[in-house]
Amino acid sequence: MNGSLEGVAVAGGAPASVIVGIGAYVPPNPVTNHDLTARLDTSDEWIRTRTGISSRHMVLPGQATSDLAVEAGRRALESAGPEHAEGVDAVVLATATPDRACPATAPEVASRLGLGTVAAFDVSAVCSGFLYGLATATGLIVAGTAGRVLLIAADAFTTLIDPQDRATAVIFADGAGAVVLRAGEPDEPGAVGRVVLGSDGSLSGLLEVPGGGSRQRSLGGPVKPGDEFLRMAGRDTYRHAVGRMTEASRQAVRAAGWDLADIDRLAAHQANARILATVADDLGIPEDRRLSNIAHNGNTVAASIPLLLADATADGSLAAGHRVLLTAFGAGLAWGAATVHWPDVKPG
């Protein structure tokens, strides 16, 4: 273990995890709604009014999740500075689109970042991946297994989307976001509050990619046409997303000892503009406290929240001292929420 918990004295003896660096990356080729209308039976107005998206970024041919993750991780390490970057003990990669079915992608990412033989592993919770990864990274720190953790959320999710499916092709996009976490005290800037998580596997069929997994492979034969792509039951997903994100948010705020009126910024998974507005309205969070970058990034799955945090920090809409509520929902079904006192960081 390279990092150290020495000198961290916290009530009850358990350290908190503290954000000390942030970075993000999207592929360089923006794809506009007008680009999509060339091959889909849709229009710019239809996409914008139903999703809030004007453009999104997609991986270039041959570009993989690891490529996005390495760049976002590098930028987060630069943001954290050498005093933290050189002491990273573990890399946690939240992704639903690993480079290969086996092995995990995180060890390769750690190697390419020059982190050597540190612990590295993937976490799969799709759109809730960053929050599940945040809970995992915090657990490593609180347990004393790691003093510093690089948490990356990255997805090349358009590789799982049918390019002819209007319902999904206009929504999903690719990107990566990352944070560096260190052991610290729960009352200092950047400290992460209790992460509230939940799941309901009885509804896993609402969002799924049927082909390519062990169930399909054990049956033998090729993947059935269309089974290699995401299937989404939009209306049911909307209903569950709103309810679960709202309730998890209330739980996380209570765990932090805050009231909803104390929230300075809501950083919700950028799934769909309608979902975002309904969740914020249900929580009573006014429009000037809602962060959003969905218009130009689309739904980047696990990368959504850290990308949003990095963008908002860069443009000044998120500042040091803000009390931030994070929440997400996605396939699994899986959801979560957390709170954080935003630190004085600059994206790498």
Side-chain angles (χ1 to χ4, degrees):
M1 187 171 72
N2 298 320
S4 173
L5 302 181
E6 184 178 355
V8 178
V10 182
S17 64
V18 177
I19 295 174
V20 293
I22 187 166
Y25 175 76
V26 292
N29 55 327
V31 178
T32 69
N33 291 345
H34 293 293
D35 293 330
L36 295 180
T37 59
R39 58 178 169 83
L40 293 171
D41 180 19
T42 187
S43 67
D44 172 63
E45 181 183 7
W46 188 93
I47 298 170
R48 285 188 292 104
T49 56
R50 284 162 176 77
T51 69
I53 301 170
S54 298
S55 64
R56 73 287 293 147
H57 296 263
M58 298 182 180
V59 289
L60 301 169
Q63 193 173 33
T65 294
S66 64
D67 301 316
L68 309 180
V70 166
E71 185 60 28
R74 182 186 63 79
R75 295 181 182 189
L77 293 170
E78 288 179 354
S79 169
E83 68 272 26
H84 299 302
E86 294 174 2
V88 167
D89 303 304
V91 175
V92 177
L93 174 61
T95 186
T97 57
D99 286 11
R100 295 161 288 183
C102 175
T105 302
E108 180 180 343
V109 170
S111 177
R112 289 170 61 183
L113 287 170
L115 298 176
T117 58
V118 299
F121 57 94
D122 295 358
V123 171
S124 180
V126 200
C127 295
S128 297
F130 179 74
L131 290 176
Y132 270 75
L134 189 61
T136 302
T138 297
L140 293 173
I141 289 171
V142 171
T145 302
R148 294 181 180 86
V149 178
L150 173 60
L151 168 60
I152 308 172
D155 273 302
F157 207 76
T158 61
T159 61
L160 298 181
I161 299 301
D162 181 350
Q164 301 305 317
D165 178 14
R166 183 179 68 168
T168 57
V170 302
I171 295 173
F172 291 97
D174 306 323
V179 293
V180 177
L181 299 150
R182 65 158 172 83
E185 301 189 8
D187 59 352
E188 67 175 296
V192 177
R194 183 167 72 88
V195 185
V196 174
L197 302 173
S199 73
D200 186 353
S202 70
L203 297 172
S204 61
L206 293 184
L207 292 136
E208 65 168 346
V209 179
S214 62
R215 186 174 301 282
Q216 178 266 317
R217 288 172 179 267
S218 72
L219 294 172
V223 177
K224 295 179 181 178
D227 278 4
E228 73 272 31
F229 297 127
L230 177 75
R231 295 176 181 172
M232 180 175 69
R235 291 183 180 179
D236 287 339
T237 297
Y238 177 96
R239 178 169 57 87
H240 286 286
V242 169
R244 296 302 189 180
M245 290 170 74
T246 300
E247 178 54 30
S249 294
R250 294 183 188 278
Q251 292 177 26
V253 169
R254 285 197 298 268
W258 300 352
D259 293 321
L260 285 169
D262 296 329
I263 301 301
D264 296 307
R265 295 293 184 268
L266 171 64
H269 164 56
Q270 303 290 286
N272 175 299
R274 291 181 174 182
I275 291 175
L276 299 175
T278 304
V279 170
D281 287 344
D282 288 353
L283 293 172
I285 296 176
E287 289 190 16
D288 62 351
R289 299 185 182 186
R290 307 173 187 180
L291 301 177
S292 181
N293 65 358
I294 193 171
H296 302 294
N297 275 359
N299 181 340
T300 53
V301 195
S304 172
I305 289 178
L307 262 172
L308 176 62
L309 295 173
D311 286 352
T313 302
D315 68 22
S317 55
L318 177 59
H322 277 155
R323 290 161 293 191
V324 186
L325 170 62
L326 317 175
T327 187
F329 173 92
L333 300 175
W335 57 85
T339 56
V340 59
H341 274 107
W342 197 245
D344 183 13
V345 293
K346 299 292 189 293

